[in-house]
């Protein structure tokens, strides 16, 4: 094999919003494979909001990143060398490749993709972690009933777009919250939500009240902060919240103080916080549904693809500031 590896590593802990100077881009030697490993040339890298909290030196559900460590992340690519029969040369696989041109995977942490399921990049989105997250949070935890009102925040994004479309499939009235008119138009016209409210509009709270005349039975929460508080003002008795993400707080040094404790108590709201990494067993259940719904055109998805591994830091910042439109990916080469 010729050529080396290029990696993006964390150079320093971000102070507030991530900046390009928080990363180092370095050339490294290709790894030598041990028995049971395969070397993968990365085609697509997934950029996900969870990577931002991992850059902070704080207690979490996984060890925080250390200075100089490779940025973590799922990727899709081609096996170019293998010492694992289940991952043969030429196979297209998804696994934890990290922000680099070449990564090593094993049978335990990679899956060989079936081309009949959809394009390989979808294995990082609707037919991968973000799709499974939407399915789990909505159906396993919040369990919406037909006719109930479901609100989804970050509704045009990778997780939110799928959560809302599943809620429509289940017969719910679905309201999205997204940033800007273009995203809201997409959420209603392309994804089929019943309405979408722009959280940047000056009359956001009034628009949300108009869109939720029967209050909110289920909130699929991706954002936190003032958007979360606005939905709590509209929460129904015995509502369920799938607490999936808190992206508005990932880059702030002064966390927002939630004001809606009264609403949570008065309306006897159940909050189900979850991290999909705890639920590997659930993937087959979710993918069985999602692959059918995608094939039937009942779930649509959009990708925002940035070109070149070296563009990853900028693309990551774009996503964290809401300038992505769809599942954020990097086309590595
Ligand atoms: N619990 C889990 O296991 C799990 C797994 C995957 C993802 N997540 C969480 O799910 C959420 C969505 O992730 P994703 O991958 O689907 O990303 P995404 O929605 O495709 O992209 C992030 C979006 O967040 C919104 N956003 C960013 N800053 C915001 C702010 N200050 N206020 C309001 N909205 C803001 C932006 O949308 P707008 O322009 O519409 O505001 C942005 O496009 C994240 O919070 C993530 O951490 C959790």
């Amino acid at each position: 094999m010729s050529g080396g590896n290029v990696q993006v590593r964390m150079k320093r802990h971000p102070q507030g919003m991530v900046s390009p100077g928080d990363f180092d881009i370095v050339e490294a030697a290709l790894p030598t494979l041990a028995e049971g490993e395969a070397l993968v040339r990365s085609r697509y890298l997934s950029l996900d909001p969870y990577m931002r909290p991992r850059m902070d030196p704080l207690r979490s559900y996984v060890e925080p990143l250390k200075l100089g460590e490779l940025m973590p992340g799922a990727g899709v690519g081609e096996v170019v060398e293998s010492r694992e029969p289940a991952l043969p040369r030429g196979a297209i696989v998804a696994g934890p490749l990290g922000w680099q041109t070449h990564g090593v995977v094993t049978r335990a942490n990679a899956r060989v993709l079936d081309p009949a399921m959809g394009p390989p990049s979808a294995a990082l989105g609707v037919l991968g972690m973000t799709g499974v997250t939407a399915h789990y949070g909505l159906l396993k935890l919040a369990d919406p009933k037909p006719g109930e009102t479901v609100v989804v925040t970050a509704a045009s994004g990778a997780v939110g777009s799928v959560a809302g479309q599943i809620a429509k499939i289940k017969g719910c009235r679905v309201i999205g919250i997204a940033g800007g008119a273009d995203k809201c138009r997409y959420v209603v016209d392309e994804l089929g939500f019943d309405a979408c409210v722009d959280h940047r509009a000056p009359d956001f709270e009034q628009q949300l009240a108009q869109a939720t005349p029967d209050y909110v039975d289920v909130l699929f929460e991706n954002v936190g902060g003032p958007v979360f508080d606005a939905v709590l003002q509209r929460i129904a008795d015995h509502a369920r919240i799938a607490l999936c993400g808190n992206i508005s707080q990932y880059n702030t040094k002064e966390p927002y103080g939630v004001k809606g404790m009264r609403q949570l108590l008065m309306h006897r709201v159940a909050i189900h916080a979850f991290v999909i990494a705890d639920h590997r067993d659930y993937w087959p259940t979710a993918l069985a549904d999602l692959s059918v719904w995608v094939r039937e055109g009942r779930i649509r998805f959009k990708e925002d693809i940035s070109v070149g591994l070296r563009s990853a830091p900028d693309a990551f910042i774009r996503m964290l500031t809401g300038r992505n439109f769809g599942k954020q990916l990097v086309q590595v080469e």
Side-chain angles (χ1 to χ4, degrees):
M1 264 230 59
S2 63
N5 197 5
V6 179
Q7 300 184 320
V8 183
R9 299 179 183 169
M10 184 178 76
K11 182 177 178 184
R12 61 184 186 209
H13 298 293
Q15 299 298 312
M17 181 50 74
V18 181
S19 77
D22 298 332
F23 303 92
D24 256 339
I25 301 181
V26 299
E27 295 194 1
L30 286 178
T32 310
L33 295 182
E35 202 60 46
E37 291 181 338
L39 180 68
V40 177
R41 184 163 55 216
S42 192
R43 280 192 193 165
Y44 293 102
L45 162 67
S46 173
L47 296 183
D48 294 278
Y50 75 82
M51 296 161 179
R52 173 62 188 87
R54 284 202 63 187
M55 298 177 81
D56 291 326
L58 300 173
R59 192 167 72 92
S60 183
Y61 62 95
V62 277
E63 278 298 302
L65 282 174
K66 297 181 183 63
L67 297 184
E69 201 174 333
L70 177 72
M71 288 295 294
V76 160
E78 182 182 344
V79 174
V80 289
E81 208 180 309
S82 183
R83 295 188 64 189
E84 167 52 62
L87 303 170
R89 223 177 133 163
I92 304 298
V93 300
L97 298 176
W99 295 26
Q100 57 184 343
T101 55
H102 297 76
V104 172
V105 296
T106 65
R107 185 182 184 160
N109 67 17
R111 58 187 171 122
V112 177
L113 300 181
D114 173 1
M117 286 266 283
S121 58
L124 300 173
V126 63
L127 299 177
M129 187 274 283
T130 54
V132 174
T133 299
H135 193 289
Y136 184 85
L138 189 78
L139 298 184
K140 184 86 179 161
L141 300 180
D143 191 21
K145 303 287 179 287
E148 286 192 324
T149 298
V150 175
V151 166
V152 180
T153 58
S156 75
V159 175
S161 61
V162 177
Q165 291 178 91
I166 298 175
K168 280 307 299 175
I169 289 170
K170 297 294 172 185
C172 303
R173 182 160 187 279
V174 185
I175 312 300
I177 297 179
D182 284 351
K183 286 185 177 180
C184 277
R185 236 188 327 272
Y186 167 73
V187 163
V188 174
D189 295 350
E190 303 278 329
L191 303 183
F193 286 35
D194 296 283
C196 183
V197 183
D198 176 1
H199 66 81
R200 296 211 196 98
D203 61 345
F204 163 57
E205 281 90 353
Q206 290 95 303
Q207 284 193 41
L208 183 63
Q210 278 166 13
T212 55
D214 299 324
Y215 298 103
V216 177
D217 302 296
V218 166
L219 168 60
F220 193 103
E221 177 58 334
N222 287 319
V223 161
V227 172
F228 179 55
D229 254 332
V231 182
L232 292 185
Q233 297 305 317
R234 303 298 304 161
I235 209 78
D237 285 350
H238 303 293
R240 289 89 67 204
I241 297 176
L243 180 49
C244 174
N246 191 26
I247 192 168
S248 71
Q249 304 301 296
Y250 294 170
N251 288 286
T252 179
K253 299 197 93 177
E254 291 172 18
Y256 175 88
V258 175
K259 300 178 180 66
M261 285 294 285
R262 176 191 165 91
Q263 281 71 26
L264 291 172
L265 179 60
M266 296 304 146
H267 300 292
R268 290 88 81 208
V269 177
I271 300 185
H272 302 278
F274 73 104
V275 172
I276 202 63
D278 292 340
H279 306 288
R280 292 297 310 180
D281 302 356
Y282 191 76
W283 278 60
T285 305
L287 290 180
D289 280 344
L290 292 166
S291 57
V292 171
W293 290 333
V294 168
R295 202 167 45 241
E296 292 175 350
R298 300 176 81 191
I299 287 192
R300 295 170 151 209
F301 63 98
K302 190 177 179 71
E303 298 173 332
D304 187 330
I305 301 179
S306 168
V307 178
L309 179 69
R310 287 168 196 273
S311 73
D314 283 338
F316 188 49
I317 294 166
R318 276 166 41 86
M319 178 188 63
L320 291 170
T321 49
R323 285 177 287 145
N324 65 315
F325 196 166
K327 168 67 199 146
Q328 186 66 60
L329 300 171
V330 174
Q331 192 181 324
V332 176
E333 304 185 81

